[in-house]
Amino acid sequence: MKKQENRDLVALRWATWGINFVGLAALYSFDPNPRWPLALLLTSLGFYFSYKRRYEKNHWIKSLMALAMILLLWRYLSSLFENLQDTRLPLAGMLAWLQSINAFDLPRRHNLKTAQLVGVILVIVTATLSRDLVFGFFLLLFLSLLAWSGHQDNLLELGLERKRGGVPAAIAISIALSLALFAVLPRPQYRFLSQVPMSVRQFLPKSMDPGVRNLAYPSGMKKSKKFNPKAFYGFSSTLDLGFRGKLDSDLTMRVKGKRPQYWRGMAYDHFDGLVWRQSRPNADTLSTNKEAFSLSSNGNEDLLYTFYIESNQTNLIFLPQDPHSLYFPTGQIFLDSEDGLRSPVILEKGLFYTVTASWASTLGIEKARIVLPRNSQKNTSGKRYLQCPPMSERFSKLAREIAGKEQSPFRKLRSIEAYLKEHARYDLTIPPYEGKDSIDHFLFVEKRGYCEHFATAMVLLARALGIPSRLATGYLPGLYNPFTGYFEVKTDSAHSWVESYFPGYGWVPFDPTPGFLLPEESPTAWSQFSGFLREVPWLMLVFSGFLLFSLFSLWKGLASNLLPSSKLFLVFLRRAGLRRKGGHTAEDYLREMEKRGKAPDPSAVRFIELYQRARFGPGVPLEDLRAALREAKLGKK
Amino acid sequence: MTPNALILLFIAVFALIAAINVQSGWLFLVGYSLISLILCSFILGKMRLKDLSPRAHSSGVSERGEKMELFVYLDNLRAPLIACMAPPVGRRARRRFFFSSLVPEGWTFAVAEGPQLSLEIETPRRGEFDLPDLILLSSPLFLWASAKKFPGRGKVLVLPRADRLLALPWLYANSGQEDGIPRHQLGDLFRTVREYRSGDSLHRVHWKSTAKRGELMIKETESDQGGTSVSLVIDPACREGNLEVVEQVFSVTASIAAHLHRNGTEVNIFSSQGEAPKGMEEQLRWMARMIPDQKLPPSIENAVLITGRSGKETNFTLHCGVQPGGDIHCPPGCDLARALG
């Protein structure tokens, strides 16, 4: 009679259920939708049911499952068409329900393996969705369960029921190893699929205001004289240098992309001594029936940035340098006179859009001559990027002094940038100053200030030297989180910098604020990883813990666990100048001694005899063996 | 690498390709984690097997088909779940394992609980062999099975299987009264009864059993075993690829010899390769070492023959294949019974 297969597999069932639990819980943490707990409940019921009926044939259950799977496929395809921009959530939903159905028929070990596979794919889909560190906790749980499941499999294979097998050590070593690989190996970017993430298309109101809107200053900067830490006052129709205050450090947006950049919001061309504004506040309307707005046709679209809005602030569409195409969820947007883009609606939390961009080369820019930008010539004043408020004589003198004998405009700008970085201090605690000579005051009296003071000073110095320039506002790249792959941009990452015009190159950014550098090269994986750890010290502690535990486990694993008699035997070999060899018997070593041309001393032979009796039979006290070792006359000491 | 590891590796590669496409750090980490699990299994497996130098001891003699106990001594057992395995005696150990299972079919394995463990290895073939190689295996997380082979040292002698026979009536059936030796002189020691067969003398009817059963029953005595000296001639020839038949010949010979020895009959065993020494154990060892020829003369197939009888001596030739005919009685279920059909 054929022996009935053991289908209890209790530990393996728990491990499989755990892997599915982790997948669904991780999904719930990203998307708090009741369907995930419901799927988990159904999966748990399924596991219980399949355990109870593990020895039954369950034909009727299999038929019902097949029917449910057909319905699920139909539901998945329809949800796919509803959300073609991002197919990850429908896929996750399909997998979750598939697992719930599948859980009702898991009688054998290989069925449980299939269920684990679905759980693993669920975790992978969640990994692509996750935008924060919470997923790390789920990944840790997932790895632990996977290791435990492997251990259970090993026990089943060896015909054992319960036995410890160093699973915690294996988990610690795996995590330490994976983090080491993650920290060191480069993370290349290559787009195999052309799908770009973008929110679902929004319906627009009939009348739309093309102006800049900032929720922290709903009635505009002129009326709201009070500083609001919730949003940067530079995202407005005017930028007042008299404003003082420290911005909150709330998360504003996350940007997914490989190369760090300054995220540009808007720019100003006219300065009256205290307030920046756009001399041409009107904006053109850009419409598209296609997927994307075309912004430029120069260069290659080799960079891809996706912006995820995390807090409602403005209607400015933030862009990297040299954008090509914008995938934005409205059919219309506005383009202002300073190349800033505005959305007809406020960018609300949850909205996301994608921009493709190229990395412009500045090779040869040092030899570029200055010509006024084309759109400035439309201005009746003719030279609006050279406009300056009345400045003091010492200011003009300073501009000439900084420029020195430099002929190249680019080098002149670099000199100004270096001068400001060296001679003034970035300080957010300066007292208010509302005079029309604010830059003169900043350069010669205060010598410290906000980023907009530095940027304004550089624009004015550049303009004084005849270089068309303007002041740009936006956000710093933010902290790159290597785990999520997102730059985390906070409210206090708001920043001002300078853009100067070079024919053939366009507007080139400069940043004169001390402590801030425009990113030029792609950072390495290690620099991104270590930079993030420096900013998140608790994470460093966690990783150090894993590293130490894994090292301890390895050390413990390699530590010798010899029997006392074997230890004495090793001492014997060492003293005899023999190397230990696998599979050699004690007599083999004696023969080896003989081969050296000298017969072993009877005391050595006696030790070997005693050792063999102690090791392979009862009756020789360890003390006798020690004494025999002491007495053994060997060739080498 | 186990099937689990292959599946995980496939998923890890898929995750890394997807991570390159979507630039998800978590996805990179998931891919690296899965690869790390496999690497960890590899590292731990190798680490656990490091410096383990097992020694194996056995009694050195076993009977074919019986399990032989092999004692394994491990010097430096650091970690649990070290499996020690060995192939059947006479079969070579390979370091490559079957993909679907850690332990190849027919192998014996045990998990090391301490510095000493015992393995009961199979002895499917008669003969003199080297002690089987030992393979130590560690497969933490069942992802990578690290194995280390240690050559077996020493010899193992697998004796032919000797089944316990109940009687050998063909000795009597063929000799009848023709040998002229009175039954009582051979020391008629009553052994058992059996059904009447054509040719049986009526003097041997066991009337009590006959009355009880209602049919003629014949007495069997110790002297029915034949003469006081029996010569067994083995023809160790065999058809190519039919080694099992030769093994059965040896089993039959060993069983008969053992039966006769137990009854005090002198047994002589001969073959084309010489004569076996006297004594049961020596004869078994002699038979264990005998290497069968590869050619079989067709005329002597399926024969168990009494080839001669003189005085107290009876000569038998045991050829390849034994004609089933109920001439050898053995307990049901034993190998010999199967061999005899």
Side-chain angles (χ1 to χ4, degrees), chain A residues 112-218:
Chain A
L112 289 168
K113 290 274 148 203
T114 317
Q116 280 185 12
L117 193 65
V118 178
V120 173
I121 297 171
L122 208 55
V123 169
I124 285 177
V125 174
T126 318
T128 66
L129 291 165
S130 182
R131 295 202 289 267
D132 51 34
L133 286 176
V134 179
F135 183 76
F137 169 71
F138 293 110
L139 184 60
L140 188 65
L141 261 179
F142 165 72
L143 269 184
S144 308
L145 285 163
L146 210 57
W148 188 49
S149 154
H151 173 64
Q152 293 304 326
D153 240 4
N154 197 23
L155 288 185
L156 283 171
E157 201 65 24
L158 295 175
L160 300 171
E161 288 204 348
R162 276 187 194 180
K163 197 157 177 62
R164 288 170 65 189
V167 177
I171 293 167
I173 294 168
S174 306
I175 289 171
L177 201 59
S178 55
L179 283 173
L181 290 174
F182 182 74
V184 175
L185 291 182
R187 292 188 280 278
Q189 184 177 24
Y190 186 81
R191 280 194 287 153
F192 304 106
L193 300 170
S194 59
Q195 190 187 44
V196 283
M198 180 177 85
S199 294
V200 179
R201 284 259 171 181
Q202 295 188 355
F203 294 101
L204 299 173
K206 281 184 181 170
S207 63
M208 290 177 293
D209 176 15
V212 186
R213 272 167 284 157
N214 186 334
L215 290 181
Y217 303 95

Side-chain angles (χ1 to χ4, degrees), chain A residues 153-154 188 192 483 557 561 615, chain B residues 4 21 23 25-26 77-78 139:
Chain A
D153 240 4
N154 197 23
F192 304 106
F483 295 99
N561 189 23
R615 181 69 185 84
Chain B
N4 286 9
N21 192 52
Q23 280 296 296
W26 283 128
L77 186 66
R78 297 192 187 92
S139 55

Side-chain angles (χ1 to χ4, degrees), chain B residues 29 37 66 87 119 255 259 272 291 334:
Chain B
L29 196 58
L37 266 183
E66 279 193 353
L119 285 175
S255 304
H259 182 84
S272 56
I291 301 162
C334 77

